[in-house]
Amino acid sequence: MTVATEVKAPGYSRVIAPPGWSRWLVPPAALSIHLAIGQAYAWSVFKPPLEKSMHISGTGSALPFQLAIVMLGLSAAFGGTIVERRGPRWAMKVSLACFSSGLLISALGAAVGAYWLVVLGYGFVGGIGLGIGYISPVSTLIRWFPDRPGMATGFAIMGFGGGALIASPWTTQLLSSFGKDQTGIAETFLVMGVIYAVFMSVGVLLIRVPPPGWRPAGWEPSANTSKLISSYDVAARDAIRTPQFWLLWIVLCFNVTAGIGILEKAAPMVVDFFKNTSTPVTVAASAGFVAVLSAANMAGRIGWSSLSDLIGRKSMYRIYLGVGALAYALVWSVGQANKPVFILGAMVILSFYGGGFATAPAYLKDLFGSYQVGAIHGRLLTAWSVAGVAGPLIVNAVADSGQEAGKTGPGLYGPSFAIMITLLCVGFVANELIRPVAAKYHRPVAAPAVVAEG
């Protein structure tokens, strides 16, 4: 058996794949991390028991989730360059430690009735684990799959979107077994922290990086400026000085805001929409709705990002933003009286939400090259931080205000839906303004020695 070579340097190590290593082993390594940290998308299942047992509002119960998304963006932005330098194995270890520790701190907070510890653990500490874990495999996947970057990143990031598909029913079952009081919530956090640590260890052990200059057999890089594909590299410090980066930042921010607003409020939202109809949705069934949205989120990440390899990233974002705005309008206008339309419309919105995440690294690679794409991606994820606060804040604040005014049912969400449609339209315009990066930002790079596969 050929043993992988571990290349060591001061302060870090990364494992180079041996000759004959299959690149198809790398996506499962990434999936083991993303499926775990994707638990964040099941947060809405925790909201009702937290609100009842710890006497907090809907806006208050969103705080751990919001802070986690803020820390995801900030840790990805500030840690992106370090991850590029130290490699994916180091990043996955950090993610494992922070994410699992965050759940354990949350367990302590719930047990002693200190909600601030839940916010600190899940939001701050766990959020750092989300950010480092999220970007840990991105540049590695792009280097292993330069011929299909959209599919590769979509395959891994699919796990983050699909995390709630596992976590939502699992969390519901744990809460049913342990109880929905503070003790039951604490035990649920504790079990999840331990199990996820074991699961994430698989990725840490399996991840490999390609040898310098490696490329798939028969594949040659080519430029296609009509699809904004650059044959040059741009350093991370220069990328953030370009208008293309900030236009894409707006695109991602507004697309995420529109999706995350529904996702964070999904369980109570579907109950509210059909509370006064002949077919009300039970609390137990609302957890199933969260799982369905997670499936759509997951499918969109691999399906739409793979399609972007064929039609181009810019055209793909036209669909995310333009059709997404129409889907929002359909859910509001027709979905109030038609449950299948509501569910299908929400699934489309969440599939575009997930697809937007998965396509972003490939869009960055097209615009800025692969030199520091992981670090650039980390900086771009600050858009997620802003959206992680804005989306839930808009939906929860509008709903809380509506309740105070005596509104019920769909009336709690009308203004927030109008805001989301507007944001998607602005994002559509921003995407149309993206052009190839100016030559003054290009980084001259000597051609590396080629190590062909097979």
Side-chain angles (χ1 to χ4, degrees):
M1 178 182 294
T2 306
V3 180
T5 303
E6 185 166 359
V7 179
K8 295 186 176 181
Y12 73 95
S13 67
R14 54 170 78 198
V15 178
I16 305 294
W21 178 268
S22 173
R23 61 177 177 167
W24 292 100
L25 293 174
V26 180
L31 269 175
S32 72
I33 300 295
H34 277 235
L35 279 172
I37 62 177
Q39 183 277 336
Y41 280 144
W43 178 253
S44 65
V45 180
F46 275 111
K47 285 171 66 68
L50 279 171
E51 290 167 16
K52 184 176 181 179
S53 66
M54 305 191 81
H55 310 292
I56 53 179
S57 67
T59 302
S61 67
L63 187 57
F65 176 82
Q66 289 175 301
L67 181 57
I69 300 303
V70 169
M71 293 310 302
L72 185 157
L74 293 178
S75 60
F78 288 105
T81 303
I82 301 174
V83 170
E84 287 280 336
R85 187 170 70 248
R86 297 199 171 192
R89 175 165 289 184
W90 174 88
M92 289 179 176
K93 288 178 181 177
V94 172
S95 177
L96 185 160
C98 291
F99 183 67
S100 295
S101 296
L103 288 170
L104 298 180
I105 294 170
S106 298
L108 177 61
V112 302
Y115 186 60
W116 69 271
L117 273 176
V118 178
V119 176
L120 174 68
Y122 194 94
F124 185 81
V125 179
I128 294 173
L130 295 184
I132 299 300
Y134 191 87
I135 64 173
S136 61
V138 169
S139 63
T140 302
L141 284 163
I142 286 177
R143 289 185 175 94
W144 276 114
F145 293 88
D147 49 336
R148 286 176 280 183
M151 181 214 69
T153 56
F155 191 94
I157 293 175
M158 170 184 71
F160 194 91
L165 193 61
I166 298 171
S168 180
W170 185 32
T171 304
T172 302
Q173 181 59 48
L174 289 174
L175 289 171
S176 297
S177 300
F178 296 140
K180 297 182 181 180
D181 57 1
Q182 292 181 17
T183 300
I185 295 171
E187 291 174 342
T188 299
F189 278 133
L190 176 62
V191 170
M192 296 180 83
V194 173
I195 297 299
Y196 277 131
V198 174
F199 189 71
M200 294 171 76
S201 298
V202 175
V204 173
L205 296 174
L206 191 60
I207 194 68
R208 298 289 187 276
V209 297
W214 178 91
R215 67 177 57 159
W219 178 80
E220 293 293 334
S222 61
N224 186 337
T225 55
S226 67
K227 291 186 178 180
L228 299 177
I229 300 177
S230 174
S231 58
Y232 294 91
D233 289 320
V234 179
R237 66 177 181 275
D238 294 324
I240 61 174
R241 297 164 51 204
T242 66
Q244 287 83 356
F245 176 88
W246 293 106
L247 287 168
L248 189 52
W249 191 97
I250 292 171
V251 166
L252 183 64
C253 182
F254 289 176
N255 190 58
V256 171
T257 300
I260 208 168
I262 284 184
L263 192 58
E264 190 275 338
K265 191 77 170 177
M269 181 183 290
V270 71
V271 172
D272 288 336
F273 250 77
F274 299 100
K275 179 182 294 184
N276 300 320
T277 68
S278 58
T279 56
V281 176
T282 65
V283 173
S286 70
F289 178 63
V290 174
V292 167
L293 292 187
S294 178
N297 187 357
M298 181 173 63
R301 290 172 186 242
I302 183 63
W304 298 128
S305 61
S306 296
L307 180 60
S308 77
D309 287 332
L310 300 176
I311 69 174
R313 258 52 89 170
K314 188 169 186 175
S315 294
M316 197 69 251
Y317 273 93
R318 286 172 176 145
I319 295 174
Y320 295 151
L321 298 158
V323 179
L326 294 176
Y328 247 111
L330 184 65
V331 167
W332 177 246
S333 61
V334 180
Q336 297 183 40
N338 191 312
K339 192 179 296 183
V341 170
F342 177 89
I343 294 173
L344 288 174
M347 289 177 66
V348 169
I349 292 168
L350 264 296
S351 77
F352 290 163
Y353 165 82
F357 275 123
T359 310
Y363 209 159
L364 290 172
K365 189 258 184 186
D366 290 350
L367 290 168
F368 303 110
S370 59
Y371 169 59
Q372 288 188 329
V373 67
I376 299 171
H377 184 227
R379 288 160 171 78
L380 184 70
L381 290 181
T382 55
W384 194 356
S385 294
V386 174
V389 173
L393 181 62
I394 291 168
V395 175
N396 282 292
V398 168
D400 288 348
S401 177
Q403 285 180 334
E404 292 175 1
K407 294 181 179 179
T408 60
L412 296 172
Y413 302 99
S416 59
F417 274 42
I419 293 171
M420 300 307 180
I421 292 171
T422 301
L423 292 178
L424 287 170
C425 291
V426 173
F428 186 93
V429 173
N431 183 57
E432 291 302 305
L433 296 176
I434 294 177
R435 300 289 185 270
V437 176
K440 65 180 180 179
Y441 297 109
H442 294 169
R443 176 181 180 270
V445 180
V450 174
V451 181
E453 179 183 54

